Amino acid sequence: MSAANTPGQAPRETVSFLLDGQRHDIANVDPGRTVLQFLREDLCRTGTKEGCAEGDCGACTVVVADLDESGERLDARAVNACIQFLPTLDGKALYTVESLADDGLHPIQQALVDCHGSQCGFCTPGFVMSLFALYKSSAAPTRRDIDDALAGNLCRCTGYAPIIKAAREMYQAASGERWTHRPAGGSRTADEEQQLAALRSLNAELPLSVTTNGRSFYAPLTAKQLADLLSAHPGATVLAGGTDIGLWVTKQHRELDTLVYTGRVAELQLVQESASHLEIGAAVSLSDAMPLIIRHFPAFKEVLLRFASPPIRNAGTLGGNVANGSPIGDSMPLLLAADAELVLRRGNNMRTLPLHEFYIAYQETALQAGEFIERIRLPLPASAHQFAAYKVSKRFDQDISAVCAGLMLRRAGDIVEDVRIAFGGMAEIPRRAEHCEESLRGSVWNEQTVAQAATMLEKDFTPISDLRSSANYRMQVCKNLLLRFFHEDNGEAPVRVYDYGR
């Protein structure tokens, strides 16, 4: 019996999902087959395109829907089909650009035609699907909402204006009951009722276990099942959103023998908030984790909104970003500044580890064989704490950071009582600036001491030069960001650091 089995019941071996409201049951699924390959090669749905094959360009955008927390609504989100593995669709509903042409054009398609926003046939379907996700989730999007929804669609053959105009007018282009927009809390259409009933009918009560050509995909439902699987397969690849592991297949052409998927593990989807901590399950998506973090750390908002694109944030998880340990990952400097901890599990054993002790070397962490991140613990900020977060990149949206910074300051009057300063892009791992911090603790908080502390960054980091920036640029940016933090804290810059009660 597999480690993921429910006593007395064998796990399911067939991937089941909805496409255009019709149930698809697929056996003998290759665990590394992408949704894009399935659509184009198996179903000949060629409206979904392959561009970059790494989740950047947006030509492959589709929409995946699941039941929301209440079980009474569809939660529809855009994702990149090129890096999503087919078995992750199990228990969900899939929409492609062909899904929309059921009874005439969908309102967003009609609006793009009317506003002359349609482009070449390669990128237009991705724009349609990104805006379809927005249409399903928002009744009155702002300009920022529209810009954010399109951040993952990089082509702009017709320019920005016609597409944005179409996004604003798509609600007026509705024709037919199927695509009539219903805001949250409003009555459901007959189509929505049918979709909800079909999703509920999918057998999602048993874990999934698929083995094809000697390669396996497991989707456990509980943390115990996950722990048992990783104990039995300590060398397995733990898959969350696939926004990094997907590239191992599409770019590195790796064949992954054993994949263990965390996306259906109930405990890893939980969020708990106490008087002292915010705890976020490792499988909570970045899209869901971000509002929770911003509520308590509003200074992190801009960096989090510039974290990749909505399709990446919808699939990727906070736990996956942390476990990945990329030196240029945007969440880690912020979490380090917030003094985050990780709750780790191996079998039945649990331990808590400060995030700053988790990273050992490039792509090497403190995780033991068979161990996984169960949740991330964030101490809630006290009123005396000041936070700031900065991202420096060549492009505002959907770009890899040259430098990302998270900073925390606590002072009594003009004396620095405590400080945490963390950077990404400055070393082989995301790391705190220990010499710089030590220089500031106990010092007077003024421009002279801050400038002196900035020179200590040269002891903390030896950055490299690459395509994103030179080593000298990175070092100068870090020094300047520390000075910016000081001036914002003192109200001497246009944008102030968010504070908590001061």
Side-chain angles (χ1 to χ4, degrees), residues 79 102 114 130 154 199 203 210 240 267 297 343 357 381 416 441:
V79 300
D102 180 61
D114 294 342
S130 290
L154 298 187
L199 276 176
N203 184 1
V210 176
E267 294 93 329
F297 300 87
V343 178
E357 296 179 11
V416 177
R441 288 192 188 95

Side-chain angles (χ1 to χ4, degrees), residues 434-455:
E434 295 178 356
H435 290 91
C436 181
E437 292 176 358
E438 187 60 31
S439 175
L440 285 170
R441 288 192 188 95
S443 299
V444 176
W445 182 243
N446 60 32
E447 188 168 0
Q448 181 179 355
T449 58
V450 171
Q452 176 61 33
T455 66

Side-chain angles (χ1 to χ4, degrees), residues 19 115 120 156 200 249 256-258 283 285-286 346 427 432-433:
L19 177 60
C115 298
C120 75
R156 295 289 193 274
R200 295 188 189 108
V249 173
L256 306 175
D257 292 333
T258 306
S285 72
L286 289 162
R346 184 187 186 194
R432 282 175 52 181

